[in-house]
Amino acid sequence: MKQTAQLSLFLALALICSYIESLLPFHFGIPGIKLGLANIVVLLALYYMGAKYALAVSVMRILLAGLLFGNLFSILYSLAGGLFSFACMVLLKRCEKFKVISVSTAGGIAHNLGQILMAAAVVENSRLFYYFPVLFLAGAVTGILIGTVAQEMLLRLPVERMQTYRKEKP
């Protein structure tokens, strides 16, 4: 029961972050680039509750945010990027050699790669990959920012619930 309540809390926080991001007039001037504020919550869930719960938060947030603030294509692209990113972050976290910022940075890059793979499949045009260097850079920058915030938040969570994270020493 406690895990259900925590999962619900993380999902609510991720949805709030998605909503706030949809309101922010923060545009890089390049289509498709966003901060990814909800990924802070996914990272926290990954380190705080584990991969299974973090995956649930990520997928449910993508579906709900897409239904509330987006459309079918935004759900499709977000799921592709989110699942690709999540798999990458879980693998790096399990290595136990990477700090939160590195895990987040790789996740940001993988998210953009997943989205461009989906876009290329949908429009059946491989020329979209010319856009990937820009997305790579954007994913790295936003991943570093999101990872820095998540790392600082993890350091401030209650110690008794963060034993696995504390052993890793960011």
Side-chain angles (χ1 to χ4, degrees), residues 3-13 57:
Q3 289 174 332
T4 303
Q6 287 176 336
L7 181 66
S8 300
L9 179 64
F10 278 105
L11 178 57
L13 288 171
V57 168

Side-chain angles (χ1 to χ4, degrees), residues 59-136:
V59 170
M60 287 190 291
R61 194 261 325 155
I62 289 168
L63 292 174
L64 289 172
L67 291 171
L68 292 170
F69 320 121
N71 56 45
L72 182 60
F73 283 108
S74 68
I75 293 172
L76 187 66
Y77 294 130
S78 292
L79 267 177
L83 292 174
F84 204 70
S85 170
F86 186 79
C88 181
M89 290 191 302
V90 167
L91 289 173
L92 290 181
K93 181 187 178 287
R94 285 190 180 154
C95 288
E96 297 184 4
K97 294 180 181 177
F98 298 96
K99 296 180 181 182
V100 178
I101 295 172
S102 300
V103 170
S104 176
T105 303
I109 294 166
H111 187 278
N112 288 342
L113 179 58
Q115 285 190 325
I116 205 158
L117 286 168
M118 179 58 72
V122 168
V123 299
E124 298 177 354
N125 188 342
S126 62
R127 288 188 208 164
L128 291 176
F129 288 101
Y130 289 119
Y131 190 47
F132 185 65
V134 173
L135 293 177
F136 181 93

